């Protein structure tokens, strides 16, 4: 299992020795078992679960209870993987006590670290968590919990000022003690500059090739939704077509009476 010190070590290796970090989201035990068998470095139990698993229109519908339930399912399926639990919308914006309580729920459910969107107003909390034994992964750029503030799911850091603000926030995450940083939907050159400026690894999604790692949403990688086509997404399976065809074949076999055969029946 990748450990927090190994995330930093990966960043510091050079040349052929340098291994990028692969992170995949996962929300349930059966997929987690397959990810556990793979070489994927770590699993993010993202608040994208609100959309992917629960059909909500945005991640603001995720709750700590929802993420903790998915974390415990994933932890049972993937005992060999480093698991990061996502802190949902507003779960860390009330007071220190309830923020710590939310983190405790995710860690006790089986997460090894938590991820939080945005550093402004959260720096002291990151410091407090890190010094309480809770590793923190930051998330900047397009932070989907800010969808209403940002006016939609748009690429961030396109102007010089916006890019400089993301760099300042990235440094603030690092200074507060975060061990890694997700950069979502920012121009490649912005991600490259931030990656070069930090001592902690960056993990990109829609942030170009120069981050220290890459993350994708599992269901996107598997091609479950043919209508979701962001520029950054590479599909590694035509999951929608494959599953639809399996369902149709089952239906046809049931209708024609060719399933089950005597071999598939008890005597
Ligand atoms: O919730 C999530 O899946 C995420 C990734 C897109 C980084 O935050």
């Amino acid at each position: 299992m990748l450990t927090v010190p190994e995330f930093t070590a990966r960043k510091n290796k050079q040349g052929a020795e340098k291994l990028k970090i692969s992170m995949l989201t996962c929300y349930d035990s059966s997929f987690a078992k397959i990810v556990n068998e793979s070489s994927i470095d770590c699993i993010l139990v993202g608040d994208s679960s609100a959309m992917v698993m629960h059909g909500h229109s945005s991640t603001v519908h995720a709750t700590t209870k929802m993420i903790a339930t998915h974390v415990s399912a994933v932890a049972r399926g993937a005992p060999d993987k480093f698991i990061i639990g996502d802190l949902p919308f507003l779960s860390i914006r009330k007071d220190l006590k309830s923020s710590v309580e939310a983190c405790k729920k995710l860690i006790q459910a089986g997460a090894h670290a938590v991820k939080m969107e945005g550093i402004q107003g959260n720096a002291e909390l990151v410091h407090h968590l890190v010094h309480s034994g809770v590793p923190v992964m930051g998330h900047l750029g397009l932070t989907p919990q800010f969808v209403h503030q940002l006016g939609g799911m748009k690429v961030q850091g396109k102007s010089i000022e916006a890019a400089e603000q993301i760099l300042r926030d990235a440094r603030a995450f690092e200074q507060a003690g975060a061990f890694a940083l997700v950069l979502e939907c920012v121009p490649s050159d912005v991600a490259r500059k931030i990656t070069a400026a930090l001592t902690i690894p960056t993990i990109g999604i829609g942030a170009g090739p120069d981050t220290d790692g890459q993350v994708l949403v599992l269901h996107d990688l598997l091609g479950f939704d043919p209508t979701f086509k962001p520029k950054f997404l590479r599909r590694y399976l035509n999951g929608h077509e494959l599953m639809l065809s399996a369902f149709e074949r089952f239906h046809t076999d049931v209708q024609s009476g060719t399933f089950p055969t005597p071999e598939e029946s008890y005597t």
Side-chain angles (χ1 to χ4, degrees):
M1 183 190 297
L2 200 63
T3 61
V4 167
E6 280 161 6
F7 274 86
T8 321
R10 290 262 186 121
K11 172 88 182 184
N12 295 331
K13 293 240 165 78
Q14 299 299 332
E17 287 236 296
K18 188 171 167 80
L19 286 179
K20 292 223 179 194
I21 298 161
S22 60
M23 181 160 85
L24 203 51
T25 72
C26 192
Y27 318 101
D28 69 21
S29 196
S30 51
F31 274 119
K33 276 186 192 160
I34 306 175
V35 179
N36 197 54
E37 283 179 45
S38 77
S39 306
I40 294 289
D41 289 313
C42 54
I43 295 177
L44 169 66
V45 182
D47 60 357
S48 50
S49 56
M51 301 172 78
V52 174
M53 302 300 287
H54 298 268
H56 287 294
S57 57
S58 82
T59 61
V60 303
H61 299 279
T63 63
T64 305
K65 191 170 171 223
M66 181 194 285
I67 304 291
T69 304
H70 290 299
V71 165
S72 62
V74 168
R76 284 190 289 273
D80 305 323
K81 295 295 176 192
F82 187 87
I83 297 169
I84 301 112
D86 221 355
L87 288 162
F89 183 57
L90 296 183
S91 62
I92 52 167
R93 299 298 288 189
K94 287 168 218 149
D95 50 42
L96 183 66
K97 190 167 176 271
S98 48
S99 306
V100 169
E101 215 37 61
C103 295
K104 185 176 162 193
K105 285 200 178 103
L106 300 191
I107 299 292
Q108 289 187 339
H112 305 102
V114 297
K115 175 170 83 59
M116 75 172 65
E117 292 187 11
I119 185 67
Q120 291 177 35
N122 291 335
E124 271 182 37
L125 174 63
V126 175
H127 190 265
H128 181 81
L129 290 171
V130 171
H131 290 271
S132 309
V134 180
V136 176
M137 177 180 275
H139 184 160
L140 293 172
L142 172 55
T143 43
Q145 290 171 18
F146 292 72
V147 60
H148 301 309
Q149 191 75 33
L150 299 174
M153 300 287 275
K154 299 172 182 166
V155 176
Q156 300 296 307
K158 283 168 101 175
S159 68
I160 292 174
E161 298 74 37
E164 280 172 353
Q165 184 59 54
I166 301 175
L167 175 58
R168 277 195 294 277
D169 286 353
R171 286 204 165 109
F173 256 127
E174 178 178 81
Q175 263 169 19
F179 73 97
L181 178 69
V182 168
L183 286 175
E184 179 165 354
C185 288
V186 294
S188 305
D189 60 332
V190 173
R192 186 173 56 248
K193 280 181 195 142
I194 294 172
T195 300
L198 298 183
T199 58
I200 57 171
T202 57
I203 303 180
I205 174 163
D210 299 317
T211 50
D212 300 303
Q214 297 288 334
V215 54
L216 281 178
V217 167
L218 176 71
H219 293 55
D220 298 343
L221 173 149
L222 295 175
F224 282 3
D225 180 358
T227 65
F228 185 61
K229 297 176 185 163
K231 184 175 183 184
F232 66 78
L233 176 60
R234 183 181 296 178
R235 291 204 182 94
Y236 287 84
L237 192 76
N238 195 343
H240 179 264
E241 203 174 293
L242 288 172
M243 284 189 296
L244 197 57
S245 136
F247 301 158
E248 289 303 339
R249 283 187 287 122
F250 169 60
H251 176 75
T252 305
D253 291 351
V254 171
Q255 296 292 313
S256 64
T258 56
F259 175 80
T261 61
E263 290 75 32
E264 290 161 330
S265 308
Y266 297 106
T267 51

